[in-house]
Amino acid sequence: MKKFFTLVVLLATITVAQAQVKFGVKGGLNLTNMKFDNSVVDKSNQTGFFIGPTLNFTLPVVGLGIDASALYDQRSAKIEGSEDKLKQQSIQIPINLRYGFGLGNTASLYIFAGPQFGFNIGDKSANIVDNALEWRLKDSNLSANVGVGLMLLNHLQVSANYNIALGTTGETNVLSSTTSTVANLVTGKTKANAWQLSVAYFF
């Protein structure tokens, strides 16, 4: 068992040592859909954005790589019939395993998937719908990415993915039932899924 463990550590060390690392900057757009458990409160899709540093590890296995980023991320969804918006500001850390298909020296296609860890840094609560509801975000959240991308000239990367919330993003609690919109709403948990389009440049 000790020999096996030693071999695994040795192989992992060699793999990391031979990996090619590129540093870059990544940014893009969110198209967020906040889903409520209760349909009494309507919502609409809203755009947001994200930006931050990113790393690309090319592993010594043909086609395999890892992308990791630390992104400032902003998402929102407007409550229909109200001027209020549900807002989320966070630091998102996606870690995606990718597999690429070469199209020559100038371009390559790739698919990717992996977990994303989020930490809310903005306001974590707000009163909405004429102060009838309290909107409260969780301190952290876990999601997953699935997507496709294109790498051009080993520097420019364009990708599209769907970010799937794996747990509750936040919840609403009734503060007052005088508004007809929330008269029958006790609590509502929400999940914030998003389509994401991004561009990254590696130096």
Side-chain angles (χ1 to χ4, degrees):
M1 178 63 76
K2 289 183 178 180
K3 290 182 179 181
F4 176 76
F5 179 74
T6 302
L7 180 60
V8 170
V9 172
L10 180 61
L11 290 175
T13 302
I14 293 174
T15 299
V16 172
Q18 292 181 348
Q20 296 180 356
V21 182
K22 292 182 179 180
F23 298 87
V25 177
K26 183 178 184 178
L29 298 176
N30 290 316
L31 182 60
T32 305
N33 182 20
M34 290 189 180
K35 295 183 178 180
F36 285 79
D37 285 348
N38 195 310
S39 60
V40 175
V41 178
D42 294 325
K43 71 280 181 189
S44 61
N45 289 337
Q46 295 288 315
T47 57
F49 68 92
F50 54 90
I51 189 169
T54 185
L55 296 174
N56 173 252
F57 299 87
T58 301
L59 301 177
V61 178
V62 176
L64 284 182
I66 296 174
D67 285 340
S69 306
L71 306 171
Y72 170 77
D73 184 288
Q74 180 176 296
R75 307 182 186 192
S76 66
K78 185 178 179 181
I79 303 296
E80 292 185 0
S82 170
E83 296 299 320
D84 297 320
K85 283 187 177 182
L86 304 182
K87 295 183 179 180
Q88 179 184 19
Q89 300 177 75
S90 62
I91 298 297
Q92 297 289 332
I93 303 175
I95 303 175
N96 297 311
L97 180 66
R98 55 189 283 171
Y99 182 77
F101 309 88
L103 298 177
N105 295 326
T106 59
S108 64
L109 289 170
Y110 64 91
I111 57 175
F112 64 92
Q116 180 165 300
F117 307 92
F119 305 92
N120 289 313
I121 58 173
D123 294 334
K124 296 181 175 64
S125 65
N127 294 342
I128 57 176
V129 191
D130 297 326
N131 293 320
L133 291 174
E134 179 189 37
W135 160 247
R136 183 175 295 276
L137 282 168
K138 296 180 65 177
D139 291 333
S140 61
N141 54 76
L142 177 64
S143 59
N145 293 314
V146 178
V148 296
L150 177 66
M151 177 69 86
L152 299 171
L153 301 173
N154 290 322
H155 290 286
L156 183 63
Q157 177 178 286
V158 181
S159 64
N161 70 276
Y162 192 59
N163 178 246
I164 307 165
L166 299 181
T168 300
T169 303
E171 64 181 12
T172 54
N173 294 312
V174 171
L175 298 177
S176 170
S177 61
T178 57
T179 305
S180 60
T181 304
V182 296
N184 298 318
L185 180 64
V186 178
T187 59
K189 295 183 178 180
T190 66
K191 288 187 177 183
N193 300 328
W195 285 102
Q196 298 181 313
L197 299 175
S198 66
V199 176
Y201 184 83
F202 294 94
F203 302 101

